[in-house]
Amino acid sequence: MKLHILTLAAAVAVGAVMAAGPARADANDAKWVAQCVKDNKDEGQTVEVITSYCTCMNNKMSSDETRSITQWEKSHKREMEACSAQAGWKGR
């Protein structure tokens, strides 16, 4: 069952990244968002909220960034808070 949820989360992440801005979205963005969704799967949020959060964070990162979204968010509290609010993340 968990594999199906992660597969669904990855598919939703790819779709969200592509919809967020086709000029900027590429295969790397989709992979980064999918990894972020996977990293946050046990945070008690819906797949939609996590995907929205991860897509927002990805869009705030420079295309030259080498850290994952999960690593980058630790040093970008303002962006994390803004994306959490935008995504409807509960408890942050």
Side-chain angles (χ1 to χ4, degrees):
M1 183 66 157
K2 280 190 175 186
L3 180 59
H4 292 294
I5 292 171
L6 288 178
T7 303
L8 174 63
V12 170
V14 169
V17 169
M18 296 305 173
R24 187 174 185 291
D26 63 19
N28 263 349
D29 289 335
K31 287 178 189 176
W32 288 50
V33 170
Q35 182 62 51
C36 176
V37 169
K38 184 178 176 183
D39 291 347
N40 287 284
K41 69 180 176 18
D42 295 327
E43 293 295 321
Q45 306 299 316
T46 66
V47 171
E48 294 80 12
V49 168
I50 296 170
T51 302
S52 177
Y53 169 78
C54 292
T55 301
C56 178
M57 290 296 286
N58 183 70
N59 290 341
K60 291 186 178 293
M61 294 171 68
S62 164
S63 59
D64 298 337
E65 183 59 58
T66 58
R67 292 175 288 174
S68 71
I69 295 169
T70 303
Q71 293 167 331
W72 188 81
E73 73 184 350
K74 292 175 181 155
S75 62
H76 291 81
K77 185 176 171 106
R78 186 176 305 149
E79 290 87 345
M80 184 184 77
E81 290 172 351
C83 288
S84 293
Q86 179 181 320
W89 193 289
K90 305 289 186 225
R92 270 201 181 163

